[in-house]
Amino acid sequence: MVIANPPYIKPQQYAKLSPEVKDWEDKQALVGTYHKNQKSERKRPDGLDFYREILSRALPFLKQPEDEESRGSIEQRLPALVFEFGADQGKAMTRLITRYPVGQYQLHKDLSNKDRWVEIFL
């Protein structure tokens, strides 16, 4: 199982963050885009670069259940991956997940009723 809360703020949103956030956290811990000195074919301005990287690298190492019967329903099994993401990134996260060979996924809402985290099942 992989549980991750990587940087997910879009570069254009960083300037608008409150001083309480910007002055406390390092920019690299907040912005979800590879920085100038980092190279990757997965670099995009949507704040989801690290999720693309985790999905592409982790999925080959995660074990799928042997057969359909042992998989059970979502309620009966543990997810392979759990991610938190930005309050405005639910649709983008859904599009991203469906590009990878996963079984099912389930989005969860925060107290403001916005999609904020996801469980991904193999």
Side-chain angles (χ1 to χ4, degrees):
M1 176 188 289
V2 174
I3 300 173
N5 182 10
Y8 55 75
I9 295 172
K10 297 174 188 174
Q12 62 273 24
Q13 290 176 322
Y14 181 76
K16 299 174 187 173
L17 291 176
S18 68
E20 293 84 16
V21 175
K22 282 182 13 180
D23 295 346
W24 183 256
E25 294 284 348
D26 183 74
K27 184 176 181 178
Q28 290 184 354
L30 297 170
V31 178
T33 302
Y34 287 99
H35 302 279
K36 293 177 185 176
N37 60 344
Q38 296 172 302
K39 296 180 182 180
S40 174
E41 69 273 6
R42 299 185 230 330
K43 187 174 184 178
R44 309 257 189 323
D46 61 3
L48 301 176
D49 287 352
F50 294 100
Y51 297 91
R52 278 186 274 283
E53 196 71 35
I54 293 168
L55 283 164
S56 67
R57 291 182 184 218
L59 285 174
F61 295 99
L62 295 170
K63 185 178 178 187
Q64 289 188 341
E66 298 296 323
D67 56 48
E68 204 58 42
E69 187 175 314
S70 64
R71 290 183 190 194
S73 67
I74 286 180
E75 295 81 20
Q76 297 173 323
R77 54 192 173 125
L78 293 173
L81 299 129
V82 177
F83 294 144
E84 180 186 2
F85 51 85
D88 63 342
Q89 294 174 318
K91 289 181 182 178
M93 182 61 72
T94 298
R95 284 192 301 274
L96 175 63
I97 292 167
T98 58
R99 293 184 182 142
Y100 290 87
V102 300
Q104 297 174 302
Y105 62 92
Q106 187 170 7
L107 295 172
H108 297 275
K109 297 186 180 302
D110 64 11
L111 296 176
S112 299
N113 205 34
K114 295 182 180 191
D115 292 331
R116 284 308 303 266
W117 63 283
V118 64
E119 294 177 291
I120 302 171
F121 301 86
L122 300 182

